[in-house]
Amino acid sequence: GGEPAPGGEPAPGGEPAPGGEPATGGEPEMGGAPEMGGAPGAGGELGMGGTPPMGGEPVEPMTALPSGLTEYTIAQEIDGERVERTVLLHVPDQLGEGANYPIVFALHGAGGQGRSFVGRMRNQINQRGFVGVYPDGHNRAWNLGGAESSADDVAFLSQVVASLADYRNLNHDRRFILGLSNGAGMAHEMAVETRLFKGIATVVTQLSRGNEPRAETPTTAVLQLLGMDDGLIPYEGGL
């Protein structure tokens, strides 16, 4: 399912419309340009609630969490080419002293961009106190084993998690992922393939064939929302 059509009505099987978001996940009003901070240091891959192993090496001071919006890129090789993939870090405007913020990844649907979550999430982030992470899918899509994208998105999102390791005030014991449509399918895949997220919330998608949980799949909390009249993603399942 693609991004919602303008005017608040969802396209068939697409994402629920957030009050007229642009069909391509266009840029909402952001109240100023995001800070163009460099990429945070990429620590080793984290397990749930883990910190990078020390190994006896000197520990570098942790980086202060920047308030507001910070954009950075992570390089990945895709089809033999180096691609710089964009990530938006969305932090409350006013940082609480000694705060330990939960982390919520948000994955857009096919045709969208991570930037589309800025307007949707700003009030929740400031009022409820968590940090949003909005990565961009390659060619505006997430690779679920079909024709959407050829990127290794499990590896990419694992890199994004690792890039947060050096920031203070982040609670990696409370790391979650939500997704819409194609992005929701990617959230399912991350829950099956990694131990990086404590829970997922998915809208307008189901587990795809070949991506079912296995015996070694970690236990993960799942909230899944489907429309009973959706003809593209049937409530009862099926093709």
Side-chain angles (χ1 to χ4, degrees):
E3 289 281 327
E9 291 298 324
E15 299 176 18
E21 281 282 329
T24 58
E27 180 176 343
E29 184 177 354
M30 295 173 59
E35 300 174 28
M36 299 299 289
E45 181 172 329
L46 303 179
M48 246 339 290
T51 54
M54 298 304 177
E57 295 296 323
V59 179
E60 294 293 330
M62 297 191 79
T63 305
L65 192 64
S67 61
L69 288 170
T70 300
E71 180 179 295
Y72 63 97
T73 60
I74 289 180
Q76 185 182 33
E77 184 175 317
I78 304 174
D79 296 329
E81 296 184 1
R82 177 187 170 93
V83 176
E84 297 288 340
R85 300 186 62 175
T86 301
V87 181
L88 272 176
L89 184 66
H90 196 177
V91 178
D93 294 332
Q94 301 294 326
L95 294 176
E97 185 175 349
N100 198 21
Y101 293 112
I103 305 165
V104 178
F105 278 57
L107 306 183
H108 60 76
Q113 289 179 292
R115 190 173 297 275
S116 65
F117 287 104
V118 173
R120 304 179 193 186
M121 302 275 275
R122 180 184 284 113
N123 289 341
Q124 295 294 325
I125 281 176
N126 283 320
Q127 292 170 11
R128 298 189 176 272
F130 61 92
V131 167
V133 182
Y134 316 143
D136 278 353
H138 180 55
N139 292 333
R140 298 196 174 198
W142 302 101
N143 183 1
L144 303 180
E148 300 95 346
S149 167
S150 56
D152 184 343
D153 284 323
V154 172
F156 169 61
L157 293 175
S158 298
Q159 283 183 275
V160 177
V161 170
S163 76
L164 304 175
D166 293 335
Y167 281 130
R168 295 194 296 269
N169 304 113
L170 291 179
N171 185 351
H172 288 277
D173 284 328
R174 300 179 67 195
R175 192 189 307 128
F176 305 91
I177 187 168
L178 67 86
L180 307 178
S181 192
N182 175 238
M186 192 66 223
H188 275 299
E189 185 160 344
M190 292 301 292
V192 170
E193 300 295 336
T194 77
R195 297 177 178 270
L196 296 175
F197 297 95
K198 186 173 184 178
I200 66 172
T202 65
V203 182
V204 193
T205 196
Q206 294 173 339
L207 281 169
S208 55
R209 186 173 296 165
N211 193 33
E212 299 90 346
R214 302 179 293 274
E216 66 272 20
T217 298
T219 300
T220 305
V222 177
L223 171 66
Q224 181 165 293
L225 304 177
L226 295 163
M228 297 186 73
D229 294 330
D230 189 337
L232 183 61
I233 308 294
Y235 183 83
E236 300 292 344
L239 296 177

